[in-house]
Amino acid sequence: MYNFRTDLALERRDIFKKINNTDNIDGIESSVNKVSDSIIVEKVKVTNKNGEKAIEKPIGEYITIDVKKMRNIDEDEIQKIADTLKDELKGLINKHVDKKGEILVVGLGNLNSTPDSLGSKVMQEIDVTRHIFKYLPQYVSDEDREVSAISPGVLGTTGIETLEILKGIVDNIKPKLLIVVDSLASKSINRISSSIQLSDTGIIPGAGVGNKRKEISKNTLNVPVIAIGIPTVVELATLVSDGIDIFIDNLQDKAKSNDYLNNLKENDKYEEVKEALNIGDYNMIVTPKEIDELIENMKNVVARGINFAL
Amino acid sequence: MYNFRTDLALERRDIFKKINNTDNIDGIESSVNKVSDSIIVEKVKVTNKNGEKAIEKPIGEYITIDVKKMRNIDEDEIQKIADTLKDELKGLINKHVDKKGEILVVGLGNLNSTPDSLGSKVMQEIDVTRHIFKYLPQYVSDEDREVSAISPGVLGTTGIETLEILKGIVDNIKPKLLIVVDSLASKSINRISSSIQLSDTGIIPGAGVGNKRKEISKNTLNVPVIAIGIPTVVELATLVSDGIDIFIDNLQDKAKSNDYLNNLKENDKYEEVKEALNIGDYNMIVTPKEIDELIENMKNVVARGINFAL
Amino acid sequence: MYNFRTDLALERRDIFKKINNTDNIDGIESSVNKVSDSIIVEKVKVTNKNGEKAIEKPIGEYITIDVKKMRNIDEDEIQKIADTLKDELKGLINKHVDKKGEILVVGLGNLNSTPDSLGSKVMQEIDVTRHIFKYLPQYVSDEDREVSAISPGVLGTTGIETLEILKGIVDNIKPKLLIVVDSLASKSINRISSSIQLSDTGIIPGAGVGNKRKEISKNTLNVPVIAIGIPTVVELATLVSDGIDIFIDNLQDKAKSNDYLNNLKENDKYEEVKEALNIGDYNMIVTPKEIDELIENMKNVVARGINFAL
Amino acid sequence: MYNFRTDLALERRDIFKKINNTDNIDGIESSVNKVSDSIIVEKVKVTNKNGEKAIEKPIGEYITIDVKKMRNIDEDEIQKIADTLKDELKGLINKHVDKKGEILVVGLGNLNSTPDSLGSKVMQEIDVTRHIFKYLPQYVSDEDREVSAISPGVLGTTGIETLEILKGIVDNIKPKLLIVVDSLASKSINRISSSIQLSDTGIIPGAGVGNKRKEISKNTLNVPVIAIGIPTVVELATLVSDGIDIFIDNLQDKAKSNDYLNNLKENDKYEEVKEALNIGDYNMIVTPKEIDELIENMKNVVARGINFAL
């Protein structure tokens, strides 16, 4: 079992390949589709138990939309990425519910902490219709779908596990499908705000920042769960450890290999690094200084993608 | 059945008395206690079905803490009002649960609309402990109580009735008592941000602004519900109608009474006024221009009152 | 001198016409242009001192874009209104500066009070370029214009008059034109979030809510000032007074005219109404309960209109 | 010239001492005062040009209040730290202005980016009085001081250097002293939200995150400038470079020294590390996941400290 420290299936696949020095993994299928000069869609399918074990992600489909960095993106590009998201999302939705199946959109994370605010911000932009079906049915047509949305908050503020809150709501209002939006942690800085991962296997909130919460998925809620996640942070320990790996590689080339260095590479350097940097009790995250602008742009992309798909 | 257009029991009592030209209502008991020069506590008890029918509020206790306007209030006064709130709240809590009974604090309303943001803002300040009991039990003592908190959002944003959301959560985490915080509508402008009403009979969100939602109470949730509400708005139609009432009174004095004026007073003038002012589809509210500062001060009072009481 | 209690030139014109029972005002020219089924542009030109005196607005052009209520507006309609705003704004800009003339966009109002937050929210969306000209000149072309933006806050929070803050900044960075965005007060509820007024004569912040600040205009700043304003509130006293006017009209028809009623119509009823309703020290405003959603939509319209025009 | 990558004078002093392997620096005086078990005040005085050159901070006084981590701080502790801040701040203020000297409080940073929001949030809590002196002089006494407050925003949003904005305002309203509040960058993670630095030598916004803006000080504004700063982030490159330093130290001990390692320690590893980690164009910051709660507590401490001192 590796310590992947990333929520992205394609990063996990690459780590597994590198460590095992292989180009093929039984149970993992990949395909790449270039939508435009700036948008690439990569699909990773986990097809059997072996694949599941390899990258520690359940059997299912993981779609990653890669885009150029979102900082100075214009209206046109937001629209193009939202369209791509809409297409992929529609594909996943249609696999699990029919055109009328009620959907609950869940925005995870903490509105007051910029790098973790994506889910809550998207949730506020969702065009909800469920109450119109109930109170003003004359305003909806046969084409419309019941959509509701909720932002359950975070454990530190509510004292309640997100899964517990959702379980209560799902049992009570009985949607046919959940779409869960969350900020993710990735392993690599240049994926921050540049990748959108979709999957139909649910989500484990906080998995990427060593803050694991209970899984939100069909296993725990009895309805299919589509997760949409965008990396907004890298965990500090991950980054420092990667930095030291690269550093040791350089050392081995330039300073001549020796047994100590060889040994080092095989051990987990996280604890040592953590101690050396005096990181202490806090869970440190690495994020761009401009994260507020990036979140604003990502919010627009994801909210439009979802609203168009529904 | 009167159209009270206020959430405050004492305003309803006074309206009933005025209309029926009486000083006593069977089933309604009142008492006043001056805590300090600027803080008065008035209790209205509804003791039987007749009282219930008279003011259309369920049997139970309604405590109103009246304070001077909160605009330029200082740290000391915030503390004094919070202390009064704490005392009254503790009294109500002890009536329903023991010292260890788990409590869920619910902040109603819409964070993005200043006059309706009180509940959500208070919720963010609540010292939650439930997760510490669960994950870090070494940090809590036998004296501590499990406290959790949630802000379910509003129907227009979620598409889900607040009661439905709370029902799911209450069924799942099984608290022994709910404390619900909400912005209220009052009938009179000078109660805005000057009265805090506590009761142990639950709440009907939006009741004061003609936007009635399902009751949140022991009847619907099977746990006792203490409601803490502060008026932040007056409904426009209420105010205009009251203004016209006063105006007609003046007219009758000064312009000589006539049959038309006498008739007018007996009819509901809301629809006529609404039409005349071209108010249209929107639900108009009246609120002070300085509502943001008032909400900030009220948030501090209520959050401290609750945190000290728990 | 009338007490217009509205920031909108066309409402003032209509009030003047009604009171003086005339259809023409010397010094006031009007024209109406229907852009689409839901967008109407009405221009009021004040051409001489007489017009200026009549509606108490300086000589200049007042353009009002009227749109259907913005609550459930979709992306397409936002775009259409933004395009209309862009066209009218470009017209005004070109009257005063050339294509390269530096522009400072000023967002007035209070970010923490929803009905007054429009200016500050728009300001955050403006595509500023001034710093790029200065620090990264390789990224701008000959076509680009220097744009900066500021949100000076409100007197109650800063202790400083908006004009004093702007004067300092304008003297220091020397823009060629200011575009000032603010929430306005109108006289009529159905103009709230439905009218966008542009003018090139500057603005008096708070003029519509009895809270007059120093004029922001060419007179005070020595650069031309284009104002973009959208009504978000009606002053309570205005509304109640109008309601009573209509009420008296009805009374006169139905209850027979008498001297007292005739007299009443000629006097200012504000003070009497204010006293009767016990409005007290606060400045009360009337606004739709849904003002947060309306502001969000208006922010998108105005920010895009400005960004496209610059 | 060292690359200190910290805004804190005492960290710079310690770096200088370590590099030069000395315990005394000519021109630097230090003293430590333990206020309570959890509050320590350390003063660093730069007394001459040599001290100035050593730590690259102008002649003046640098006071650092060190507190235990602020995450679960209670009301009492907030009050104690605020009292300490008040005392030290008063000392600095009295050095530069008399009891009636008008003060302008400036909150730097970006309200929309949690780790950078401290200054703007503090600014909103300042009790401003300048407008009361001007418009309601009957409400102020001879004891009161004129206080105003402003939050000028950040270059990326306004397009204008903070110094340019402040210069305009200072020239226009002519305060006798500025108090500038900002988030800082420190070199060490365990100073985040645990140190409050006061100085009377002004501030260079962004100096700690490689984003240097123009100095805000008596040199540039002609009025004394007291800066209050709290570290909320560490720059990523700093942290990684420090981590690698420690790592190399370990290597040298355990893996036997060699020439390559010795060389490495003498060079700047920033560029190499930056490249290796593919950090790219963004300016990456490291901050605790709980930064929103920490900022809330720090805001209360600093706002109270300032309000009590004024």
Side-chain angles (χ1 to χ4, degrees):
Chain A
M1 210 186 77
Y2 309 100
N3 194 336
F4 286 111
R5 284 163 213 267
T6 171
D7 290 315
L8 297 178
L10 48 72
E11 285 192 342
R12 292 187 170 209
R13 179 200 59 195
D14 293 345
I15 293 169
F16 186 92
K17 282 183 178 176
K18 198 182 160 197
I19 290 172
N20 292 282
N21 206 13
T22 174
D23 255 4
N24 282 297
I25 314 173
D26 169 38
I28 304 283
E29 289 170 16
S30 303
S31 67
V32 176
N33 176 27
K34 195 173 168 183
V35 177
S36 76
D37 272 359
S38 58
I39 305 176
I40 292 169
V41 176
E42 181 160 2
K43 298 190 183 181
V44 174
K45 269 190 201 166
V46 178
T47 56
N48 64 24
K49 282 282 162 192
N50 189 64
E52 204 171 287
K53 211 181 131 198
I55 70 167
E56 288 167 44
K57 284 270 187 187
I59 290 173
E61 199 169 354
Y62 301 85
I63 303 167
T64 304
I65 304 171
D66 275 320
V67 292
K68 291 264 173 68
K69 287 234 173 78
M70 292 205 195
R71 193 172 174 196
N72 294 311
I73 211 170
D74 64 20
E75 186 58 27
D76 269 7
E77 286 167 285
I78 286 180
Q79 197 53 45
K80 267 184 214 155
I81 310 170
D83 276 341
T84 307
L85 174 56
K86 176 201 70 181
D87 292 340
E88 298 299 336
L89 183 56
K90 262 190 159 169
L92 286 181
I93 292 172
N94 293 339
K95 270 176 61 180
H96 296 286
V97 292
D98 64 23
K99 285 200 150 192
K100 301 286 300 167
E102 180 174 351
I103 290 179
L104 171 63
V105 180
V106 179
L108 298 183
N110 180 353
L111 189 58
N112 294 318
S113 185
T114 313
D116 196 26
S117 63
L118 180 67
S120 307
K121 288 199 167 161
V122 166
M123 180 262 164
Q124 293 179 349
E125 307 284 324
I126 297 302
D127 299 334
V128 295
T129 56
R130 185 175 179 273
H131 57 317
I132 305 175
F133 275 84
K134 229 170 151 177
Y135 298 104
L136 301 161
Q138 66 273 29
Y139 288 112
V140 288
S141 76
D142 275 6
E143 308 283 288
D144 291 318
R145 184 201 292 275
E146 283 190 53
V147 177
S148 51
I150 196 149
S151 180
V154 291
L155 183 63
T157 312
T158 63
I160 318 174
E161 273 275 355
T162 301
L163 179 66
E164 290 177 287
I165 297 176
L166 292 183
K167 197 159 177 44
I169 297 169
V170 167
D171 286 355
N172 211 44
I173 72 167
K174 300 195 195 322
K176 296 286 174 295
L177 176 81
L178 255 64
I179 298 176
V180 176
V181 182
D182 200 7
S183 306
L184 302 182
S186 69
K187 204 175 157 59
S188 128
I189 277 186
N190 54 10
R191 285 209 179 269
I192 289 182
S193 87
S194 300
S195 294
I196 306 169
Q197 177 176 271
L198 289 96
S199 76
D200 55 1
T201 61
I203 196 167
I204 304 177
V209 287
N211 215 350
K212 230 173 175 171
R213 304 278 167 242
K214 284 184 191 147
E215 182 182 311
I216 296 166
S217 73
K218 192 167 183 179
N219 296 334
T220 53
L221 290 173
N222 290 321
V223 287
V225 176
I226 294 177
I228 302 178
I230 299 188
T232 59
V233 298
V234 177
E235 205 187 11
L236 176 61
T238 309
L239 205 67
V240 173
S241 181
D242 282 3
I244 291 177
D245 265 358
I246 296 165
F247 191 74
I248 294 176
D249 282 347
N250 289 346
L251 274 184
Q252 287 179 309
D253 283 357
K254 293 172 193 160
K256 297 196 180 97
S257 172
N258 69 35
D259 288 346
Y260 180 72
L261 289 175
N262 291 344
N263 261 335
L264 259 183
K265 286 225 37 169
E266 276 156 35
N267 296 320
D268 194 319
K269 292 157 301 284
Y270 288 74
E271 286 312 312
E272 186 178 333
V273 170
K274 213 175 139 185
E275 203 179 338
L277 290 175
N278 209 342
I279 290 179
D281 292 340
Y282 290 117
N283 209 329
M284 306 301 294
I285 53 171
V286 178
T287 196
K289 200 166 179 298
E290 302 82 356
I291 188 66
D292 56 317
E293 298 166 42
L294 295 167
I295 292 272
E296 227 23 59
N297 287 334
M298 289 184 278
K299 178 199 78 177
N300 287 331
V301 165
V302 177
R304 284 193 209 174
I306 294 177
N307 284 332
F308 294 152
L310 299 183
Chain B
M1 211 188 75
Y2 308 101
N3 194 335
F4 285 110
R5 285 164 212 267
T6 171
D7 289 316
L8 296 177
L10 48 73
E11 285 192 343
R12 292 187 171 207
R13 179 200 60 195
D14 294 345
I15 294 169
F16 186 91
K17 283 182 177 175
K18 199 182 159 198
I19 289 173
N20 294 281
N21 206 15
T22 175
D23 255 3
N24 283 298
I25 315 174
D26 170 36
I28 304 282
E29 289 170 16
S30 304
S31 66
V32 176
N33 176 28
K34 196 173 167 182
V35 176
S36 77
D37 271 1
S38 58
I39 305 176
I40 292 169
V41 175
E42 182 161 2
K43 297 191 184 182
V44 174
K45 268 191 203 165
V46 178
T47 57
N48 63 25
K49 281 283 161 193
N50 189 62
E52 203 171 289
K53 212 181 131 199
I55 69 167
E56 286 167 45
K57 285 270 188 187
I59 290 173
E61 198 170 352
Y62 300 86
I63 303 167
T64 304
I65 304 171
D66 274 319
V67 293
K68 292 263 174 68
K69 287 234 171 78
M70 293 207 193
R71 194 175 174 194
N72 293 310
I73 211 170
D74 64 20
E75 187 57 28
D76 269 8
E77 288 169 285
I78 286 181
Q79 197 53 45
K80 268 184 215 155
I81 311 171
D83 277 340
T84 308
L85 174 57
K86 176 202 68 182
D87 293 340
E88 299 298 337
L89 183 56
K90 261 189 160 170
L92 287 181
I93 292 172
N94 293 339
K95 272 176 62 179
H96 295 286
V97 292
D98 65 23
K99 285 200 151 196
K100 301 287 301 167
E102 179 175 351
I103 291 179
L104 171 63
V105 180
V106 179
L108 299 184
N110 180 353
L111 190 58
N112 294 317
S113 185
T114 313
D116 196 26
S117 63
L118 180 67
S120 308
K121 287 197 167 162
V122 167
M123 181 262 163
Q124 293 179 350
E125 306 285 324
I126 298 302
D127 298 334
V128 295
T129 57
R130 185 174 179 273
H131 58 315
I132 304 175
F133 275 83
K134 231 172 151 175
Y135 297 104
L136 301 161
Q138 65 274 29
Y139 289 113
V140 287
S141 77
D142 274 6
E143 307 284 287
D144 291 319
R145 184 201 291 275
E146 284 190 54
V147 177
S148 52
I150 195 149
S151 182
V154 290
L155 183 64
T157 313
T158 63
I160 317 175
E161 272 275 357
T162 301
L163 178 66
E164 291 178 286
I165 297 176
L166 292 182
K167 198 160 178 39
I169 297 169
V170 167
D171 287 354
N172 211 44
I173 73 167
K174 301 196 195 320
K176 296 286 175 295
L177 176 81
L178 254 64
I179 297 176
V180 176
V181 182
D182 200 8
S183 307
L184 302 182
S186 69
K187 203 175 157 58
S188 127
I189 276 186
N190 53 10
R191 284 207 179 272
I192 289 182
S193 88
S194 300
S195 295
I196 307 170
Q197 176 175 272
L198 289 95
S199 77
D200 56 0
T201 60
I203 196 169
I204 304 178
V209 287
N211 216 349
K212 231 175 176 168
R213 303 280 166 242
K214 283 182 191 149
E215 183 182 310
I216 295 166
S217 72
K218 193 167 182 179
N219 297 334
T220 53
L221 290 173
N222 290 321
V223 287
V225 176
I226 293 177
I228 301 178
I230 298 189
T232 59
V233 297
V234 177
E235 204 187 11
L236 176 61
T238 308
L239 205 68
V240 173
S241 182
D242 282 3
I244 290 176
D245 265 357
I246 297 165
F247 190 75
I248 294 176
D249 282 346
N250 288 347
L251 273 185
Q252 285 179 311
D253 283 356
K254 294 172 192 159
K256 296 192 181 104
S257 171
N258 68 35
D259 289 346
Y260 180 71
L261 291 175
N262 291 346
N263 262 334
L264 260 182
K265 286 225 37 167
E266 277 156 36
N267 295 320
D268 194 320
K269 294 157 299 284
Y270 286 75
E271 286 311 312
E272 187 179 330
V273 170
K274 213 175 139 184
E275 203 179 338
L277 290 175
N278 210 341
I279 290 179
D281 291 340
Y282 289 117
N283 209 329
M284 306 301 294
I285 52 171
V286 179
T287 195
K289 200 166 178 298
E290 303 79 358
I291 188 66
D292 57 317
E293 298 166 43
L294 295 167
I295 291 272
E296 229 21 59
N297 287 335
M298 290 184 278
K299 178 200 77 178
N300 287 330
V301 165
V302 177
R304 285 193 208 175
I306 295 177
N307 285 331
F308 293 153
L310 299 183
Chain C
M1 212 188 76
Y2 308 101
N3 194 335
F4 286 111
R5 285 163 211 268
T6 171
D7 289 316
L8 296 179
L10 48 72
E11 286 192 341
R12 293 187 170 208
R13 180 200 58 196
D14 293 346
I15 293 169
F16 186 93
K17 282 183 178 175
K18 200 182 160 199
I19 291 172
N20 293 281
N21 206 15
T22 175
D23 254 4
N24 282 297
I25 315 174
D26 169 38
I28 304 282
E29 290 171 14
S30 304
S31 66
V32 177
N33 175 27
K34 196 172 168 183
V35 177
S36 77
D37 272 359
S38 57
I39 305 176
I40 292 169
V41 175
E42 182 161 2
K43 298 189 183 182
V44 174
K45 268 189 200 164
V46 177
T47 58
N48 64 25
K49 282 281 160 193
N50 188 64
E52 205 172 287
K53 211 182 131 198
I55 69 168
E56 287 167 44
K57 285 271 189 187
I59 290 173
E61 197 170 355
Y62 300 86
I63 304 167
T64 304
I65 304 171
D66 276 318
V67 292
K68 292 262 175 68
K69 287 236 172 76
M70 291 204 196
R71 193 172 174 195
N72 293 311
I73 210 170
D74 64 20
E75 186 59 27
D76 269 7
E77 286 168 287
I78 286 180
Q79 198 53 46
K80 267 183 215 155
I81 310 171
D83 276 341
T84 308
L85 174 57
K86 176 201 69 181
D87 292 340
E88 299 298 337
L89 183 57
K90 262 190 159 169
L92 286 182
I93 292 172
N94 293 339
K95 270 176 62 180
H96 295 285
V97 292
D98 64 23
K99 286 201 150 191
K100 300 287 300 167
E102 179 174 350
I103 290 180
L104 170 63
V105 180
V106 178
L108 298 183
N110 181 352
L111 190 58
N112 294 317
S113 185
T114 312
D116 195 27
S117 62
L118 180 67
S120 307
K121 288 199 167 160
V122 166
M123 182 262 163
Q124 293 179 349
E125 307 284 324
I126 297 302
D127 298 334
V128 294
T129 57
R130 185 175 179 274
H131 57 317
I132 304 175
F133 274 84
K134 230 171 150 177
Y135 297 104
L136 301 162
Q138 66 273 28
Y139 288 113
V140 288
S141 76
D142 275 4
E143 308 283 288
D144 292 318
R145 184 201 293 272
E146 284 189 53
V147 177
S148 53
I150 195 149
S151 181
V154 290
L155 183 64
T157 312
T158 64
I160 317 174
E161 273 274 357
T162 301
L163 178 65
E164 289 178 286
I165 297 177
L166 292 182
K167 196 158 178 41
I169 297 170
V170 167
D171 286 354
N172 211 44
I173 73 167
K174 302 196 193 318
K176 295 286 175 295
L177 175 81
L178 255 64
I179 298 176
V180 176
V181 182
D182 200 7
S183 308
L184 302 182
S186 68
K187 204 176 157 57
S188 128
I189 277 186
N190 54 11
R191 284 208 180 270
I192 289 182
S193 88
S194 300
S195 294
I196 306 170
Q197 176 175 273
L198 289 96
S199 76
D200 55 0
T201 62
I203 195 167
I204 303 177
V209 287
N211 215 350
K212 230 173 176 172
R213 304 278 165 241
K214 284 183 190 146
E215 184 181 309
I216 295 166
S217 71
K218 193 167 182 180
N219 295 333
T220 54
L221 291 173
N222 290 319
V223 287
V225 176
I226 293 177
I228 302 178
I230 298 188
T232 59
V233 298
V234 177
E235 204 187 11
L236 176 60
T238 308
L239 205 67
V240 173
S241 180
D242 282 2
I244 291 177
D245 265 357
I246 296 166
F247 190 73
I248 295 175
D249 281 346
N250 289 346
L251 273 186
Q252 286 179 309
D253 282 356
K254 292 173 194 158
K256 293 189 185 109
S257 171
N258 69 35
D259 288 345
Y260 180 72
L261 290 175
N262 290 345
N263 261 334
L264 259 182
K265 286 224 39 168
E266 277 157 36
N267 295 320
D268 193 321
K269 293 157 302 283
Y270 286 76
E271 285 312 312
E272 187 180 329
V273 170
K274 214 175 139 183
E275 203 179 340
L277 290 175
N278 209 341
I279 289 178
D281 292 340
Y282 288 117
N283 209 329
M284 306 301 294
I285 52 170
V286 178
T287 196
K289 201 166 178 300
E290 303 80 357
I291 188 67
D292 56 317
E293 299 166 44
L294 295 167
I295 292 273
E296 229 21 60
N297 287 335
M298 289 184 280
K299 178 199 77 178
N300 287 331
V301 165
V302 177
R304 284 192 209 175
I306 295 176
N307 285 331
F308 293 153
L310 299 182
Chain D
M1 212 188 76
Y2 308 101
N3 194 337
F4 287 110
R5 285 163 211 268
T6 171
D7 289 315
L8 296 177
L10 50 71
E11 285 192 342
R12 291 186 172 209
R13 179 201 60 196
D14 293 344
I15 294 169
F16 186 92
K17 283 183 176 175
K18 199 181 159 200
I19 290 172
N20 293 282
N21 207 15
T22 176
D23 254 3
N24 283 296
I25 314 174
D26 169 39
I28 305 281
E29 290 170 16
S30 304
S31 66
V32 175
N33 176 29
K34 197 174 168 182
V35 177
S36 77
D37 272 1
S38 58
I39 305 176
I40 292 169
V41 175
E42 182 161 1
K43 297 189 185 183
V44 174
K45 269 189 202 167
V46 178
T47 58
N48 63 26
K49 282 282 161 193
N50 189 63
E52 205 172 287
K53 212 183 131 198
I55 69 168
E56 288 168 43
K57 286 268 188 188
I59 290 173
E61 199 170 352
Y62 301 85
I63 303 167
T64 305
I65 305 170
D66 274 320
V67 292
K68 292 263 173 69
K69 288 238 172 75
M70 292 206 195
R71 192 172 175 195
N72 294 310
I73 212 169
D74 64 21
E75 186 59 26
D76 269 7
E77 287 169 284
I78 286 181
Q79 197 54 44
K80 266 184 217 155
I81 310 171
D83 277 340
T84 308
L85 175 56
K86 176 201 69 182
D87 293 339
E88 299 298 337
L89 183 55
K90 261 189 162 169
L92 286 181
I93 292 172
N94 293 340
K95 272 176 60 181
H96 296 285
V97 291
D98 64 23
K99 285 201 150 192
K100 302 286 299 167
E102 179 174 352
I103 291 179
L104 170 63
V105 180
V106 179
L108 298 183
N110 180 352
L111 189 59
N112 295 318
S113 184
T114 312
D116 196 26
S117 63
L118 180 67
S120 308
K121 288 197 166 161
V122 167
M123 181 261 162
Q124 293 179 348
E125 307 285 323
I126 297 303
D127 299 334
V128 294
T129 57
R130 186 174 178 273
H131 56 316
I132 304 175
F133 275 84
K134 229 171 151 176
Y135 298 105
L136 302 161
Q138 65 273 29
Y139 289 113
V140 288
S141 76
D142 274 5
E143 308 283 288
D144 291 319
R145 184 202 291 275
E146 285 189 52
V147 177
S148 52
I150 195 149
S151 181
V154 291
L155 184 64
T157 313
T158 63
I160 316 175
E161 273 275 355
T162 301
L163 178 65
E164 290 177 287
I165 297 176
L166 293 182
K167 197 158 177 44
I169 297 169
V170 167
D171 286 353
N172 211 44
I173 73 167
K174 300 193 195 321
K176 295 287 176 294
L177 175 81
L178 255 63
I179 298 176
V180 176
V181 182
D182 200 9
S183 308
L184 302 182
S186 69
K187 204 175 156 58
S188 127
I189 276 185
N190 54 10
R191 285 208 179 269
I192 289 182
S193 86
S194 300
S195 295
I196 306 171
Q197 176 175 271
L198 289 95
S199 76
D200 55 1
T201 60
I203 196 168
I204 304 178
V209 287
N211 216 350
K212 230 173 177 170
R213 304 278 165 242
K214 283 182 190 148
E215 184 182 310
I216 295 166
S217 72
K218 193 166 182 181
N219 296 334
T220 53
L221 291 172
N222 289 320
V223 288
V225 176
I226 294 177
I228 301 177
I230 298 188
T232 59
V233 298
V234 177
E235 204 187 12
L236 175 60
T238 308
L239 205 68
V240 172
S241 181
D242 282 3
I244 290 177
D245 265 357
I246 297 165
F247 191 75
I248 294 177
D249 281 347
N250 289 347
L251 272 185
Q252 286 179 309
D253 282 357
K254 293 173 194 159
K256 296 193 182 103
S257 172
N258 69 34
D259 288 345
Y260 180 71
L261 290 175
N262 292 345
N263 262 334
L264 260 182
K265 285 223 41 166
E266 278 156 36
N267 296 321
D268 194 320
K269 294 157 299 285
Y270 287 75
E271 286 312 312
E272 188 180 329
V273 170
K274 214 175 139 184
E275 203 180 339
L277 291 176
N278 210 342
I279 290 179
D281 293 339
Y282 289 117
N283 208 329
M284 306 301 294
I285 54 171
V286 178
T287 195
K289 200 166 178 298
E290 304 80 357
I291 188 67
D292 56 318
E293 299 166 42
L294 295 168
I295 292 271
E296 226 25 57
N297 287 335
M298 290 184 277
K299 178 199 77 178
N300 287 331
V301 165
V302 177
R304 284 193 209 175
I306 295 177
N307 284 331
F308 294 152
L310 298 182

